[in-house]
């Protein structure tokens, strides 16, 4: 591993927190409660695109109208003020780790870049939806992903669930369109827990507008692979109970309001993709070591394998020493260890390893106020699980 700074020479002046994901929210809350001695001489800044972070765990509940948008948002600007940290509201477009610079633009339409230097960088910018499955003759993938919110023609675009900020805007467009017609169809593409939650939330919301509206799931060969069989079977039963068709075929592309799978074309007024994650766009513009689909390569200390004054945690990173799913749970628990390591690095102390627990609690909302829970091989379902999920989610969003 390249050693940029021998222990004695380690500078300790500028700590830059890139992105306001789960881990940085945890660190900012810690700073808001108590200013840490280690950071007395350190200028701490956060660079993030939006002044709020939308909590993904409550997104399906918001789609189903159980929550207002303000209830699922964490106010990063207010948190930075409480923590005594500077907020730089900009999208990051590149990171030059050799010159220790983060490159941003004022907004997506402004070509002029602005650079921020650092001595120590922490990356927690999440990931993008993996859209590599989208492959249509004569059309470039880019044409099918609606990045421009002015384009209201949802029929010919695939809406990725990430970035969540854009998705939230586009879900509102979907509801508006569904209010104007009968028989509106939403396809959700994906096979993980997020896709199943989204399709059940979509079905619930659409049927409140008109019972003939339909959401359906296109999931490839297997749904919820990696989950316990009992949990999977509970989820499939709930999808069936809600009349959600599960199509075990691979989606390939979209044209003229038709979603093409490996075997057929399906009508879709709107198509949502929750097809796993890939590295964010800025990660294609960095000299940090990356792995797989553009994730920042980190060791067990959540430290970059190429530049030891850079740490990364949550969906933006991939561990090189072990398999670890990209999930909010690891962003939160890995984030606590990563924050300790940032502080330890500043004073030259020993860094800790993040060792994830073997079992994690997963609570999957079913659209209405009903949920399924899984803990290792144990699973259960009911309204009480939805209320338990609500309690845990609200506690995270509202924590001080
Ligand atoms: C519908 C849904 C439900 C889910 N439910 C669960 C669940 O119940 N449990 C679970 O463990 N996981 C769940 N997940 C997965 C979970 O959302 C992610 O793993 C988690 O959000 C990753 O957290 P993070 O801290 O890495 O990044 P994020 O929470 O994605 O935060 C990234 C932050 O960086 C900012 N940012 C991004 N790009 C830039 C940029 N270029 N410049 C500046 N700022 C930027 C964003 O605005 C945001 O503030 C769910 C996902 C979805 C889609």
């Amino acid at each position: 591993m390249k050693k940029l700074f021998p222990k004695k020479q380690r500078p300790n002046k500028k700590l830059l927190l890139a992105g306001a994901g789960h881990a940085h929210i945890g660190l900012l809350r810690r700073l808001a409660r108590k200013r840490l001695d280690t950071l007395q001489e350190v200028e701490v800044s956060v660079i993030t695109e939006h002044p709020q972070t939308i909590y993904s765990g409550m997104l399906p509940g918001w789609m189903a109208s159980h929550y207002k948008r303000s209830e699922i948002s964490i106010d990063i600007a207010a948190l930075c003020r409480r923590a005594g940290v500077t907020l730089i509201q900009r999208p990051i477009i590149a990171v030059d780790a050799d010159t220790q610079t983060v490159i941003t633009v004022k907004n997506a339409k402004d070509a002029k870049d602005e650079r921020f230097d650092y001595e120590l960088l922490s990356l927690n910018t999440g990931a993008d939806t993996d859209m590599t499955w989208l492959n249509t003759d004569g059309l470039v993938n880019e044409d099918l992903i609606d990045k421009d919110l002015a384009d209201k023609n949802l029929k010919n675009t695939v809406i990725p669930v990430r970035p969540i900020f854009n998705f939230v805007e586009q879900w509102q467009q979907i509801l508006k369109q569904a209010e104007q017609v009968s028989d509106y169809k939403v396809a959700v593409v994906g096979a993980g827990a997020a896709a199943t939650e989204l399709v059940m939330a979509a079905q619930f919301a659409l049927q409140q507008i008109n019972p003939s509206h339909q959401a359906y799931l296109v999931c490839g060969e297997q749904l919820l692979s990696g989950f316990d069989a009992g949990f999977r079977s509970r989820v499939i039963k709930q999808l069936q109970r809600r009349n959600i068709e599960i199509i075990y075929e691979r989606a390939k592309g979209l044209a003229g309001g038709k979603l093409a799978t490996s075997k057929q074309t399906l009508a879709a007024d709107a198509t949502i993709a929750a097809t796993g994650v890939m590295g964010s766009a800025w990660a294609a513009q960095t000299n940090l070591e990356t792995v797989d689909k553009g994730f920042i390569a980190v060791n067990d200390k959540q430290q970059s394998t190429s530049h030891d004054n850079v740490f990364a945690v949550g969906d933006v990173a991939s561990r090189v020493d072990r398999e670890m799913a990209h999930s909010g749970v690891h962003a939160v628990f890995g984030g606590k260890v990563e924050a300790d390591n940032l502080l330890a690095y500043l004073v030259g102390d020993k860094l800790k390893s993040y060792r994830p627990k073997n079992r994690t609690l997963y609570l999957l909302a079913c659209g209405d106020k009903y949920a399924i829970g899984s803990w290792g091989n144990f699973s259960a379902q009911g309204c009480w699980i939805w209320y338990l999920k609500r309690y845990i989610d609200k506690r995270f969003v509202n924590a001080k």
Side-chain angles (χ1 to χ4, degrees):
M1 189 195 307
K2 198 160 108 192
K3 288 264 178 271
L4 278 186
F5 304 110
K7 199 167 168 178
K8 273 193 208 139
Q9 292 166 18
R10 272 181 192 161
N12 60 352
K13 287 287 174 248
K14 276 190 187 171
L15 165 59
L16 202 51
L17 307 177
H22 294 62
H24 287 171
I25 289 169
L27 176 57
L28 289 171
R29 283 176 173 160
R30 205 160 139 187
L31 297 181
R33 286 194 298 269
K34 188 171 179 268
R35 189 73 194 168
L36 305 171
D37 289 345
T38 319
L39 294 179
Q40 251 169 21
E41 302 281 302
V42 181
E43 183 189 317
V44 187
S45 310
V46 175
I47 303 188
T48 193
E49 196 166 358
H50 304 287
Q52 289 142 8
T53 292
I54 295 173
Y55 178 49
S56 55
M58 292 171 92
L59 182 74
W62 170 79
M63 290 166 68
S65 300
H66 304 314
Y67 305 116
K68 295 192 212 105
R69 184 164 160 177
S70 58
E71 289 177 282
I72 67 163
S73 303
I74 298 171
D75 187 341
I76 301 301
L79 188 53
C80 284
R81 279 196 298 277
R82 291 210 318 274
V85 163
T86 308
L87 172 66
I88 303 160
Q89 200 195 312
R90 301 261 193 288
I92 293 161
I93 56 162
V95 173
D96 182 347
D98 291 342
T99 60
Q100 301 183 187
T101 325
V102 170
I103 300 143
T104 71
V105 281
K106 270 206 179 111
N107 56 58
K109 290 189 177 109
D110 184 356
K112 198 167 166 292
D113 61 31
E114 211 173 337
R115 290 158 184 262
F116 296 89
D117 60 334
Y118 63 84
E119 274 84 40
L120 180 57
L121 175 66
S122 172
L123 297 165
N124 182 212
T125 54
D128 285 346
T129 304
D130 182 355
M131 300 298 280
T132 49
W133 58 273
L134 191 56
N135 173 15
T136 316
D137 292 342
L139 282 168
V140 190
N141 287 358
E142 291 275 300
D143 297 337
L144 294 167
I145 305 167
D146 182 16
K147 291 203 186 96
D148 184 358
L149 296 180
D151 179 4
K152 303 291 188 289
N153 185 8
L154 300 175
K155 244 188 163 142
N156 291 320
T157 55
V158 177
I159 304 165
V161 67
R162 295 183 170 283
I164 289 181
F165 236 84
N166 293 3
F167 176 78
V168 161
E169 302 296 324
Q170 288 174 310
W171 175 249
Q172 285 162 325
Q173 290 300 326
I174 291 177
L175 293 184
K176 268 191 205 146
Q177 290 189 354
E179 270 157 19
Q180 284 155 21
V181 293
S182 55
D183 198 18
Y184 191 82
K185 288 197 166 47
V186 172
V188 176
V189 183
T196 54
E197 277 195 298
L198 291 173
V199 77
M200 287 194 268
Q203 178 79 331
F204 181 79
L206 290 173
Q207 300 216 331
Q208 301 288 307
I209 297 171
N210 186 330
S212 64
H213 289 347
Q214 271 294 328
Y216 62 90
L217 183 65
V218 181
C219 68
E221 293 76 28
Q222 214 195 356
L223 187 60
L224 297 173
S225 68
F227 280 89
D228 165 67
F231 178 74
R232 193 182 313 131
S233 124
R234 284 179 193 270
V235 176
I236 291 171
K237 280 194 189 124
Q238 290 307 313
L239 288 163
Q240 288 163 345
R241 249 189 68 192
R242 287 159 176 77
N243 288 320
I244 297 171
E245 193 182 354
I246 310 170
I247 297 164
Y248 289 96
E249 292 168 22
R250 283 201 162 264
K252 287 165 71 180
L254 179 81
K258 298 273 181 201
L259 179 66
T261 72
S262 38
K263 295 191 183 137
Q264 58 179 322
T265 55
L266 305 154
D269 294 292
T271 303
I272 295 170
T275 36
V277 285
M278 59 188 276
S280 3
W282 72 257
Q285 308 298 327
T286 187
N287 42 17
L288 286 163
E289 189 178 343
T290 57
V291 282
D292 308 327
K293 295 178 175 173
F295 298 105
I296 305 303
V298 293
N299 61 20
D300 61 325
K301 322 280 190 298
Q302 300 295 142
Q303 183 179 32
S304 157
T305 50
S306 61
H307 294 76
D308 76 351
N309 63 333
V310 178
F311 289 74
V313 70
D315 283 5
V316 72
S318 262
R319 284 274 288 265
V320 293
D321 60 312
R322 60 182 299 157
E323 280 279 308
M324 206 165 81
H326 290 101
S327 81
V329 171
H330 295 313
V332 171
F333 290 107
K336 284 186 187 151
V337 173
E338 193 245 11
D340 286 342
N341 284 344
L342 291 172
L343 300 172
Y345 184 91
L346 285 166
V347 292
D349 274 355
K350 197 165 178 277
L351 306 180
K352 295 195 273 193
S353 294
Y354 169 52
R355 291 196 193 87
K357 295 195 181 106
N358 292 336
R359 287 188 293 189
T360 51
L361 177 68
Y362 207 100
L363 303 173
L364 190 146
C366 298
D368 47 5
K369 292 183 177 176
Y370 195 90
I372 307 169
S374 116
W375 172 257
N377 296 332
F378 174 76
S379 59
Q381 64 191 71
C383 296
W384 68 274
I385 297 203
W386 190 87
Y387 282 98
L388 173 67
K389 176 168 168 52
R390 182 176 79 156
Y391 170 77
I392 295 171
D393 287 345
K394 281 195 162 219
R395 199 178 54 170
F396 178 73
V397 171
N398 298 326
K400 291 287 170 226

